[in-house]
Amino acid sequence: MRSSAPTLHDARWNDWKWQFRNRITRVDQLAKAIYLSEQDKQDISFCLNTFRMAVTPYYASLMDPANPHCPIRMQAVPTVAETRVLPCDLADPLNEEGDSPAPGIVHRYPDRVLFLITRQCAMYCRHCTRRRMVGEEDHVITETALQAGIRYIRQTPAVRDVLLSGGDPLTLSDGMLERIISELRRIDHVEIIRIGTRVPVVMPMRVTPDLTRMLRKYHPIWINTHFNHPRELTPASRQACEALVNAGIPLGNQSVLLRGVNDDAAVMKELLLGLVKSRVRPYYLYQCDMSQGIGHFRTRVETGVEIMRSLIGNISGYAIPRYVIDAPGGGGKIPINPEYVVSMDEDEVVMRNYRNRIYTYPQHRES
Ligand SMILES: *Cc1c(COP(=O)(O)O)cnc(C)c1O
Ligand code: SF4
């Protein structure tokens, strides 16, 4: 008997448009992929009033069907905790609206802008920072908004780095993406174009030879992706990363520190070393921010600091991301580091190394 649920052996499995069209968006579809109690079904339906669900068949295939604490499932499947809004929660915790001089543009730092070109994602991550705008509907930026964003960049010579984000830019067609990227490339002061995408993790078949052939025409292109757990490093996702790197695109990774998913030194280390093996350079580890309904994912900051302390010195520097808090209210990303300097005065700096031993460096003196 042939099941109606898509399977690994489906001939169209490797076609990203098929993956996208067949995303799990309803509770009855989800119940075919994982075990759900009647209570789970009710809770999930209730959550879907707040923030939609969409899980690619590929990402769903990585879930442990029996375990509600499966780290893949926790990122993809709503829980009733999402409906709890804490007093400290904010709709737009990073004040992106406040720093927006043109539609879709967030200009916060002197030399670079964020350009949000779609609200659509391949999968809607339960911990998403931009829950306020992502995924309400699968809608792409309007032509007018797009042109206004590009005009702002063209008229602002300080912008030498444009970061395409959203939503997920790689859910757009190759043609639409190429139109945006080629227009940006024609602006002299735009030195680098970056894309932030979770596609290599949740829909790796999107990274086709046509896509990489297109992107490589517009170098320098940099891409940051978003792996949070070593179980996401499958043969398919690693192949997608390697295809991007082979097209000359330096690939970074931004993880979010998530309670119950990766707030553990051993899990984090396995993830980071796995990324480096796939030639992906860990870039940021974000403290989970103050968006509404994601309080259950937050850890204390000490947890992140201790994880960083366990990494620094113990594994290759290449595998170590920068731990940052994107400051509520729009202060930007602020690095949070374990403390290694014990004291610093006119004569010397006293430091602690990764093994907790104390060393002294004599200060240089003008003679
Ligand atoms: C994160 C971010 C950037 C990019 O910052 P980098 O530290 O250069 O990666 C740019 N603009 C905004 C608004 C951001 O949040
Ligand atoms: S891919 Fe990014 S923008 Fe989309 S839901 Fe996940 S975290 Fe949010």
Side-chain angles (χ1 to χ4, degrees):
M1 194 189 88
R2 199 179 178 304
S3 139
S4 59
T7 72
L8 274 171
H9 309 292
D10 200 295
R12 297 155 298 176
W13 187 262
N14 291 316
D15 172 359
W16 73 271
K17 291 185 173 147
W18 181 88
Q19 288 280 340
F20 192 84
R21 261 198 319 273
N22 287 282
R23 292 180 305 170
I24 294 169
T25 57
R26 296 191 319 262
V27 178
D28 60 309
Q29 298 165 321
L30 185 62
K32 289 183 189 144
I34 57 176
Y35 169 77
L36 296 174
S37 67
E38 283 311 310
Q39 184 67 47
D40 291 339
K41 289 183 195 170
Q42 273 178 32
D43 289 349
I44 294 169
S45 306
F46 182 58
C47 291
L48 295 184
N49 298 325
T50 325
F51 184 56
R52 64 171 296 185
M53 168 175 73
V55 190
T56 56
Y58 163 81
Y59 199 72
S61 75
L62 308 182
M63 297 194 285
D64 176 344
N67 178 8
H69 304 294
C70 162
I72 306 294
R73 170 165 167 177
M74 286 175 69
Q75 295 181 64
V77 175
T79 60
V80 77
E82 280 182 25
T83 58
R84 271 177 234 134
V85 176
L86 304 174
C88 57
D89 287 355
L90 301 162
D92 176 17
L94 310 179
N95 188 29
E96 293 186 328
E97 319 272 338
D99 273 341
S100 180
I105 298 276
V106 185
H107 194 176
R108 167 163 306 152
Y109 298 107
D111 70 337
R112 55 209 188 277
V113 293
L114 203 58
F115 190 9
L116 309 177
I117 56 173
T118 175
R119 297 187 171 206
Q120 165 177 280
C121 297
M123 181 184 91
Y124 295 104
C125 310
R126 302 329 296 178
H127 55 273
C128 182
T129 288
R130 298 205 186 100
R131 296 163 69 81
R132 71 176 188 285
M133 54 172 278
V134 156
E136 290 154 359
E137 52 196 300
D138 279 340
H139 99 111
V140 177
I141 193 170
T142 65
E143 186 58 30
T144 323
L146 181 65
Q147 288 309 325
I150 292 174
R151 196 176 324 116
Y152 176 81
I153 294 167
R154 194 181 293 121
Q155 292 169 350
T156 314
V159 177
R160 42 161 295 281
D161 176 357
V162 176
L163 205 177
L164 299 176
S165 182
D168 196 319
L170 293 192
T171 56
L172 301 183
S173 67
D174 290 358
M176 177 76 178
L177 261 178
E178 178 160 20
R179 212 158 59 71
I180 298 170
I181 295 174
S182 63
E183 283 202 50
L184 291 171
R185 206 17 103 221
R186 277 201 295 274
I187 303 173
D188 280 342
H189 56 265
V190 173
E191 294 173 9
I192 69 168
I193 297 171
R194 287 198 255 179
I195 302 172
T197 175
R198 211 176 179 200
V199 146
V201 186
V202 296
M203 195 170 65
M205 45 296 279
R206 171 68 185 96
V207 181
T208 59
D210 280 347
L211 177 70
T212 51
R213 241 191 320 274
M214 183 278 280
L215 292 173
R216 70 187 310 164
K217 289 193 284 182
Y218 300 99
H219 273 318
I221 303 263
W222 293 60
I223 291 184
N224 266 332
T225 185
H226 176 177
F227 285 89
N228 287 327
H229 192 277
R231 228 182 276 168
E232 294 171 333
L233 285 165
T234 64
S237 70
R238 297 183 55 177
Q239 202 183 338
C241 293
E242 287 171 16
L244 292 169
V245 176
N246 288 343
I249 301 168
L251 194 52
N253 186 67
Q254 314 196 142
S255 298
V256 184
L257 185 60
L258 297 170
R259 178 199 289 273
V261 173
N262 60 12
D263 60 338
D264 174 277
V267 169
M268 191 56 78
K269 181 174 152 189
E270 188 185 343
L271 169 66
L272 298 170
L273 295 178
L275 287 166
V276 171
K277 261 165 67 180
S278 298
R279 291 181 285 160
V280 183
R281 169 77 157 98
Y283 183 59
Y284 283 133
L285 171 62
Y286 286 100
Q287 175 65 16
C288 191
D289 61 40
M290 305 309 297
S291 294
Q292 284 168 357
I294 62 173
H296 55 295
F297 280 125
R298 276 177 224 135
T299 61
R300 289 189 56 85
V301 175
E302 290 90 332
T303 306
V305 171
E306 283 317 305
I307 290 176
M308 291 305 292
R309 196 191 298 283
S310 76
L311 301 171
I312 295 169
N314 287 301
I315 61 171
S316 317
Y318 269 133
I320 301 178
R322 202 161 348 146
Y323 177 44
V324 294
I325 297 183
D326 215 333
K333 299 174 185 74
I334 301 179
I336 306 295
N337 291 307
E339 193 56 74
Y340 291 99
V341 175
V342 177
S343 69
M344 177 160 23
D345 62 21
E346 235 168 83
D347 301 322
E348 59 186 26
V349 181
V350 180
M351 307 159 289
R352 195 188 307 280
N353 82 348
Y354 73 103
R355 289 192 164 127
N356 241 348
R357 306 251 292 267
I358 303 291
Y359 295 84
T360 301
Y361 178 84
Q363 292 271 40
H364 173 70
R365 283 169 176 275
E366 302 293 330
S367 48

